[in-house]
Amino acid sequence: MDFLSSWWLIAMALFVVCFVLSQSLFFLLKARKRALELGLSKEEIRQTIVSTMIFSIAPSVAILLGLLALSKVLGVVIPWIRLSVLGAVTYELPATINVVEGVFGESIGNRISDPQIFVTVLWVMTLGIIPPLIIVPLFLKRIQSRVKTIRKKDSKWGDHFMNAMFLGMISAFLGYVVAPRLDEVTGETYVSLLAVLTLISSAVIMAVIGIIITKYKKEWLKNYAISVSMLGSMALAILYAYLGVR
Amino acid sequence: MKTYQDKVHLWGRIWMVSALLMMISIPAIISVTLNEWPHLQSFLQGLFTTAIIFWTVTTVEVFTFSPMLGSAGTYLGFTTGNLTNLKVPSALNAMQGLDVKPGSETGDVVSAIAIASSTIITTLIIALGAALLIPLTPLLEAAVLQPAFDNIIPALFGALGVVYIARAWKIAVAPIVAMLLIFLLIPGTTDLVGIMVPVGVVIALISARILYVTNKL
C-alpha cells in the first residue's frame, strides 16, 4: 500500500483542489458581476466575502479532525480528496466503517493494508453519495421555477415559505443538540448539558450583538455577528468542560 | 436572450457533470493502476448498507436545501459538500448580513458569493491541513480543544436560531416543539439528523400555511 503517498495520488488530489477552486472562482466572479448589476455595492460584496471566509474557518478546522480520523484508516491523500468534494465526515466515516467492519470484518482502528478492502471502500464512498450529482442537473431548474412561482403568486406567502424552510432545518438541529447520546465508555445514554449550554451561549451572544447593532447603529457588526457568536460559544464550551460539565 | 438564471443552469450543469466524471474517475484510475477491482458481492453489500441511508438523505437534501441556496449556490454546494455544517449556514449568514430575501435573485447571488468564498477557504484549509497533518496532529487532538470542536453544531445553530426565530417566531413554535419531542423521545435519532431536516421543514411549512390562511401571521 505504498501508493497511498505516491506522487500520482497527490497529483490527483491537487487536480481535485484546482477543480474545486476554479469552480468556486468561476461562480464567485459571475455572482459578483450580477450582484453589482442588481445594485449591491463593491464594499457590500467585499464584506460578504471576508465575513464568510472568517465564518468558515472554525468549521473548516473541524473538518480537519475528520481528515485526521480518516487518515488513520485510509492514509492522508484519499480523505483529502474525499473531503474536498461532495460529502462530509458524517458520511465518509460511516461509509468506511460499513465496508471495513460490515463487509470485511476488519477493525476500523488500523490502516487498511489489503488493496481489495481499499478499493471497495473507495468505490462505495464515491457511489454512496452520487445522487445529488445526477438529481441537481436534472431537476434544479424545475425546483427553482416552482419556488419562483410561489413567490410570484403571493410574495407575502413566499417570504413565510422561505422562513419556514429555514426554521424547519434549524429546529431539526436544535432537536439534535438535546438528543440523548451514548457514552461509549459506560454504555449509558445522557443529554449533553455541554452542548445545550453552548447552544444557549451562542444564542445569548447573538442576541446581545443584535441589541448592540440596533441600539448603537453598528450595522457593520451584522456581517460578523454569527462568527463572533460561534467562536465565543466554542471558547465557552472549553470553559464549561473545564468546570466539569459534560 | 438568455437570463442570468438560464446561464447559471447551463454553467452549473457543465460543472456538475464534469465533477461527476472527475469523482468517478478517481477510484477508476486507482483500480486500473493497482489492477485491483472490488469483488461484486462485497461492493454491493457495502454500497447497499451505505446507499440505503445516504442516497435517501442526499436526495431529500437536494429538494430541501436548493430553495434556500438558490441556483448557483446549489450547483456549487452539492459539488463541494459539507452542506449542513458549513455551506447552508454560510449562505444564511451572508443573506442575513445584507438583509436580502432568500429565494429572490439578490438572495441567489449573495448565497453564491458566500458558498464560493466558503468553499475557497475550506479547500485551502483542508489542503494545508493535509500537507501539515503530522505537525498539526497534537493541536487537533489536544484534549483541551475537544469540547470546542465537538460543539460546533450547537455553536452554529444557537446563533442562527436566534436570528430566524426572532424573525418568525410564530412559525418556529411547531417545528421546534416537534423536533425536541422526536429527538428526546425516539432513541438513536442523532444518527438520523439528515432525515429529520426535511421532517422539520414539512412541519414548519404546514404550520406556516395554517397560520397564514387563518390570518395569524
Side-chain angles (χ1 to χ4, degrees):
Chain A
M1 301 289 282
D2 292 341
F3 79 96
L4 283 177
S5 51
S6 60
W7 69 267
W8 57 269
L9 203 58
I10 294 170
M12 271 206 294
L14 290 173
F15 179 80
V16 170
V17 167
C18 290
F19 180 94
V20 172
L21 290 178
S22 309
Q23 186 189 16
S24 304
L25 275 174
F26 177 86
F27 277 111
L28 181 60
L29 294 175
K30 297 290 183 189
R32 184 182 179 276
K33 189 176 168 213
R34 185 67 186 146
L36 290 170
E37 287 168 2
L38 289 169
L40 290 179
S41 69
K42 283 182 180 171
E43 181 54 24
E44 283 174 320
I45 297 169
R46 192 193 66 81
Q47 274 200 0
T48 303
I49 294 171
V50 172
S51 68
T52 305
M53 286 186 165
I54 293 170
F55 172 85
S56 303
I57 292 172
S60 303
V61 173
I63 295 170
L64 283 184
L65 288 173
L67 179 78
L68 184 64
L70 284 167
S71 71
K72 290 172 182 167
V73 192
L74 297 165
V76 176
V77 185
I78 292 295
W80 173 18
I81 293 174
R82 291 294 325 158
L83 292 172
S84 299
V85 289
L86 182 59
V89 182
T90 45
Y91 160 72
E92 314 291 349
L93 207 53
T96 308
I97 292 169
N98 283 344
V99 177
V100 177
E101 294 190 350
V103 178
F104 291 96
E106 298 279 333
S107 166
I108 192 79
N110 307 316
R111 172 80 59 97
I112 296 173
S113 54
D114 182 345
Q116 179 54 217
I117 302 178
F118 183 81
V119 292
T120 310
V121 168
L122 206 52
W123 277 102
V124 168
M125 270 179 153
T126 306
L127 297 182
I129 197 140
I130 223 74
L133 292 165
I134 298 163
I135 297 169
V136 170
L138 287 177
F139 295 109
L140 182 62
K141 202 170 181 181
R142 213 173 297 172
I143 298 169
Q144 296 297 13
S145 75
R146 189 156 293 183
V147 173
K148 212 171 166 186
T149 310
I150 291 171
R151 291 192 74 90
K152 223 180 216 172
K153 216 171 159 187
D154 181 347
S155 70
K156 207 174 159 195
W157 165 243
D159 291 344
H160 294 315
F161 177 87
M162 292 310 298
N163 279 334
M165 294 212 71
F166 290 131
L167 284 164
M169 180 190 72
I170 289 166
S171 61
F173 281 94
L174 296 183
Y176 168 80
V177 170
V178 301
R181 40 197 88 188
L182 184 72
D183 186 319
E184 284 171 9
V185 181
T186 61
E188 65 184 53
T189 54
Y190 69 103
V191 173
S192 170
L193 188 58
L194 180 58
V196 175
L197 278 178
T198 310
L199 180 96
I200 293 170
S201 304
S202 171
V204 170
I205 298 171
M206 185 71 201
V208 170
I209 296 174
I211 292 167
I212 295 171
I213 291 170
T214 318
K215 205 169 174 187
Y216 300 101
K217 309 266 178 253
K218 303 278 183 199
E219 285 296 312
W220 61 271
L221 255 177
K222 255 186 177 178
N223 281 312
Y224 303 96
I226 293 179
S227 305
V228 172
S229 309
M230 185 173 70
L231 293 173
S233 58
M234 284 169 71
L236 284 171
I238 294 174
L239 177 69
Y240 300 144
Y242 178 75
L243 295 172
V245 180
R246 72 156 194 167
Chain B
M1 197 182 141
K2 278 190 173 172
T3 63
Y4 170 76
Q5 284 297 329
D6 290 332
K7 288 181 195 164
V8 163
H9 287 293
L10 177 69
W11 301 326
R13 284 169 176 166
I14 293 171
W15 277 106
M16 211 147 199
V17 172
S18 310
L20 175 67
L21 295 174
M22 179 184 72
M23 278 175 70
I24 292 176
S25 69
I26 291 165
I29 290 171
I30 292 174
S31 281
V32 168
T33 312
L34 297 181
N35 197 22
E36 184 82 37
W37 294 83
H39 297 147
L40 190 62
Q41 198 188 339
S42 318
F43 166 69
L44 289 178
Q45 196 185 333
L47 183 64
F48 179 76
T49 49
T50 305
I52 198 163
I53 295 174
F54 288 101
W55 281 12
T56 316
V57 170
T58 52
T59 301
V60 173
E61 276 183 346
V62 173
F63 293 94
T64 313
F65 291 146
S66 57
M68 306 181 195
L69 299 178
S71 307
T74 301
Y75 284 114
L76 197 49
F78 278 96
T79 306
T80 55
N82 286 301
L83 284 153
T84 48
N85 57 335
L86 192 55
K87 306 294 160 60
V88 178
S90 293
L92 297 191
N93 181 34
M95 285 189 277
Q96 187 260 337
L98 285 176
D99 263 339
V100 297
K101 285 184 177 173
S104 64
E105 186 162 6
T106 316
D108 195 319
V109 292
V110 169
S111 166
I113 290 170
I115 293 175
S117 310
S118 174
T119 304
I120 290 169
I121 202 78
T122 307
T123 307
L124 293 176
I125 288 177
I126 295 175
L128 205 65
L132 302 172
L133 197 62
I134 293 169
L136 280 177
T137 299
L139 181 69
L140 292 171
E141 286 187 335
V144 70
L145 294 179
Q146 291 317 302
F149 291 135
D150 289 344
N151 287 288
I152 281 196
I153 292 285
L156 200 51
F157 282 92
L160 278 176
V162 164
V163 174
Y164 283 88
I165 293 168
R167 189 179 287 179
W169 68 268
K170 286 181 185 172
I171 299 174
V173 174
I176 288 177
V177 170
M179 284 296 115
L180 289 177
L181 288 174
I182 290 172
F183 276 94
L184 278 169
L185 300 178
I186 303 174
T189 33
T190 43
D191 298 331
L192 297 174
V193 67
I195 296 279
M196 287 301 157
V197 170
V199 175
V201 168
V202 169
I203 294 170
L205 285 173
I206 292 170
S207 144
R209 190 67 198 171
I210 292 170
L211 290 167
Y212 185 66
V213 294
T214 54
N215 288 322
K216 289 189 175 128
L217 278 182

